[in-house]
Amino acid sequence: MIDISESVMQALLALIVAGPLVGAAAVFLPAPPGLKGRGPDQAVLRHGVTVTGAILAAAIVLALGFDRDHASRMQATTDISWIAALDVRIHLGIDGISLPLLVLTALLTFLCALYSYFKMPSGPSPKAFVALLLLLESGTLATFAVLDLLLFFLAFEMVLIPMYFLIARWGGSEGVPGGRQAAAWKFILYTLLGSVVMLLGLLLIGLRAGTFDMVALATDNGRGLSTSTQVIAVLAIGVGLAVKTPMWPLHSWLPDAHTAAPTVGSVLLAGVLLKMGTYGFVRIVLPIAPDGMRTFAPYLAAFAVVGIIYGSLACLALARQGAGGDLKRLIAYSSVGHMGFVLLGIATMTPTGVNGALFANIAHGLITGLLFFLVGALKDRYGTADLDTLAGATGAALYGRAPRLGGLLAFAAVASLGLPGLAGFWGEMLTMFGAFDPADGLSRPAFLTFMAVAGLGTLLTAAYLLIVVRRVCMGVQAPHETGATGAPDTPAITDTPAAPDTGARGTPAAPGFADVRTYELVAWTPLVALTVLAGLWPAVLLGLTDPAVQKLLAGGMS
């Protein structure tokens, strides 16, 4: 921690939220001399790296200046009247719950901008791509920083349009029923319909309580709202948040959106956008409507564990030889299972469970972001993410042909399955500990059952991820797998990539199968390092979240 005045902290948080918006507008201005590069496309991509890098630097300074000894207190707060007639205020602030998500968003967006500088997705003008990326970053950061219900809703919705266009204009159609346009429409229709219902719940709370201020509402802890109002509000808000999370059975937009999205779109969708839903449960539903949440907690936990099992079984089906599964689609279904653990932790309404949910949020963002980067790299080299093709094409073992790429894929897989010592372990363990002893008023036998089912889900997760590693990294095929003529299947493609890869200046890469390139190593190393750090030193996160969670569940957020 470094000593930074409150006014500087306020300025940093305002910069973090508004900076990407300014950067998005500046995309269409002439490039300054230092960013011109060799052409307009390179200049605008440099602009994206510069803006997201500045936002990341501001987020790191903000984190260093954050008072960890008072992590439960809102810091860097700004409170300005915006719409006086509705008592809507521009109210910003961070505590131990929101700070890690803020830094994760800034980090992943910067890494995506850096990756795109060297490997720009095929599509329309890079100017539009960078502008949309910055709009997406601004909306996500604002979601984690605002403390007014209506501002939260606006920020929550702000990310939809940029992600829609990233999927529809820069995505791919391989393995997506109806193509990328259909996937983009499915994404926006599901999330918009859920958001309409959520808005009704937010308005109900604000109008009945007489304020939209999230701090005041959380401090009141539902005392100003009747039980029936809380139940209706939790149902309405929960539907909108569950779609974004996504919770089974409202998840069906996710596999298509991930499969169609460009690599950086998938990284941001899994790494930060899904967290907006679970963050809403923790920041709004738990402290503001605790009686309503207690009513729905067993149902939320039941849907969560069904999602864990469903996601794992879907991944097992896709990983099976001959199933023709897409590796991006498999990882998307794995997110349904992983986010099920987050929802289960929230449903326990205990400090242990909620801390586990918040830890699992960050771990999932790091690990799944890395997985989507790696699958994007495989797709760049082979022209496909079809698992059967990848397994056949790497018949001599990815370990032998591209050892660093194979090693990173195996590392991300074992981190995702929850290997002790890596970030994925602590969130799932704490979540199940929370289910072992849920909050007062919740059925312990029911939650013990949910815990047992979730434990089965961890075994299924290990099964499908190890199958993926076995097939893609080791090149192991089943002895009985044969083609139509009875002869063993042969690799579908050769060592040469389907399309020449290009570097930052448009120069074709060297022929043959490339291992991890320098820009890929730079983009992925922070995710690997943080996955190990959070696994070996969980207190770096729990020390932030636990005081804030304790105070939030006790009804005192200030």
Side-chain angles (χ1 to χ4, degrees):
M1 174 184 167
I2 58 177
D3 188 15
I4 300 178
S5 67
E6 182 68 13
S7 60
V8 174
M9 294 280 282
Q10 292 171 351
L12 284 172
L13 185 57
L15 171 65
I16 290 167
V17 172
L21 276 179
V22 177
V27 162
F28 302 99
L29 299 176
L35 297 178
K36 281 187 176 180
R38 296 185 174 224
D41 288 352
Q42 190 181 55
V44 75
L45 292 172
R46 282 188 178 184
H47 173 79
V49 175
T50 302
V51 174
T52 56
I55 298 303
L56 175 60
I60 292 173
V61 174
L62 185 72
L64 292 174
F66 186 81
D67 185 358
R68 292 178 62 95
D69 294 333
H70 299 89
S72 62
R73 178 174 59 85
M74 282 294 168
Q75 301 179 34
T77 54
T78 299
D79 192 1
I80 304 171
S81 178
W82 184 36
I83 305 176
L86 295 176
D87 194 28
V88 178
R89 310 183 68 82
I90 299 176
H91 193 180
L92 305 176
I94 54 168
D95 63 357
I97 293 172
S98 53
L99 178 63
L101 291 167
L102 204 76
V103 175
L104 175 68
T105 301
L107 173 65
L108 286 179
T109 311
F110 169 71
L111 296 181
C112 285
L114 182 65
Y115 188 86
S116 299
Y117 177 74
F118 294 97
K119 187 66 181 177
M120 172 69 193
S122 59
S125 163
K127 284 190 175 183
F129 174 82
V130 172
L132 291 170
L133 192 68
L134 293 173
L135 282 174
L136 186 69
E137 179 181 30
S138 182
T140 310
L141 290 169
T143 302
F144 300 135
V146 298
L147 297 172
D148 182 277
L149 289 179
L150 292 186
L151 276 184
F152 175 86
F153 176 78
L154 293 176
F156 195 84
E157 295 303 288
M158 183 177 168
V159 304
L160 299 185
I161 300 303
M163 183 54 70
Y164 167 82
F165 282 109
L166 286 175
I167 295 172
R169 304 302 299 277
W170 284 270
S173 298
E174 181 194 7
V176 184
R180 64 189 184 188
Q181 293 285 350
W185 273 111
K186 195 173 185 180
F187 160 75
I188 201 165
L189 287 176
Y190 264 76
T191 49
L192 275 177
L193 289 174
S195 297
V196 168
V197 180
M198 183 177 75
L199 177 60
L200 297 176
L202 295 175
L203 289 173
L204 176 63
I205 286 178
L207 295 175
R208 289 293 178 90
T211 180
F212 291 98
D213 187 270
M214 292 160 63
V215 174
L217 288 166
T219 303
D220 188 64
N221 202 219
R223 286 182 287 270
L225 300 170
S226 67
T227 301
S228 59
T229 298
Q230 290 189 38
V231 169
I232 296 171
V234 169
L235 179 60
I237 297 170
V239 168
L241 298 175
V243 170
K244 186 66 72 74
T245 297
M247 180 186 77
W248 180 92
L250 303 174
H251 70 283
S252 60
W253 61 269
L254 182 69
D256 288 347
H258 267 308
T259 306
T263 296
V264 295
S266 293
V267 170
L268 293 175
L269 183 58
V272 294
L273 263 67
L274 303 188
K275 313 304 177 284
M276 294 165 64
T278 52
Y279 174 78
F281 275 107
V282 175
R283 177 64 76 203
I284 298 174
V285 178
L286 272 176
I288 295 176
D291 293 339
M293 180 64 185
R294 191 169 286 104
T295 299
F296 285 107
Y299 303 102
L300 179 63
F303 283 123
V305 296
V306 170
I308 292 170
I309 299 300
Y310 172 84
S312 299
L313 292 177
C315 290
L316 276 172
L318 290 170
R320 184 172 53 87
Q321 293 176 7
D326 186 282
L327 189 51
K328 284 188 75 176
R329 198 174 190 85
L330 184 149
I331 297 171
Y333 272 111
S334 77
S335 292
V336 177
H338 288 303
M339 298 312 288
F341 277 100
V342 177
L343 290 173
L344 176 60
I346 294 169
T348 67
M349 300 183 69
T350 63
T352 302
V354 176
N355 275 306
L358 294 171
F359 199 104
N361 252 348
I362 301 298
H364 179 264
L366 296 171
I367 297 167
T368 308
L370 177 60
L371 278 169
F372 276 117
F373 268 134
L374 293 168
V375 174
L378 288 174
K379 191 171 184 178
D380 289 340
R381 287 156 173 77
Y382 288 114
T384 182
D386 178 75
L387 191 54
D388 288 338
T389 304
L390 292 175
T394 58
L398 185 60
Y399 285 153
R401 301 172 62 194
R404 289 187 295 176
L405 187 58
L408 282 170
L409 182 60
F411 169 84
V414 297
S416 185
L417 64 83
L419 184 73
L422 298 176
F425 170 74
W426 295 105
E428 294 182 1
M429 185 195 71
L430 290 172
T431 291
M432 289 192 283
F433 277 177
F436 181 77
D437 189 17
D440 294 340
L442 299 179
S443 170
R444 189 162 187 253
F447 273 84
L448 287 174
T449 304
F450 298 147
M451 182 190 71
V453 175
L456 174 62
T458 62
L459 298 178
L460 295 174
T461 301
Y464 70 73
L465 286 169
L466 292 176
I467 288 172
V468 168
V469 171
R470 180 175 179 267
R471 296 190 65 199
V472 177
C473 295
M474 301 179 182
V476 178
Q477 302 290 336
H480 64 274
E481 185 176 7
T482 59
T485 61
D489 285 343
T490 56
I493 55 179
T494 64
D495 284 359
T496 306
D501 199 0
T502 57
R505 300 175 182 176
T507 306
F513 191 91
D515 205 344
V516 178
R517 299 180 174 94
T518 302
Y519 72 89
E520 293 172 332
L521 188 64
V522 171
W524 304 341
T525 297
L527 301 180
V528 174
L530 290 172
T531 298
V532 174
L533 175 65
L536 295 178
W537 189 25
V540 72
L541 273 178
L542 294 176
L544 285 171
T545 62
D546 185 55
V549 168
Q550 296 276 1
K551 191 170 185 179
L552 183 128
L553 291 177
M557 186 174 72
S558 60

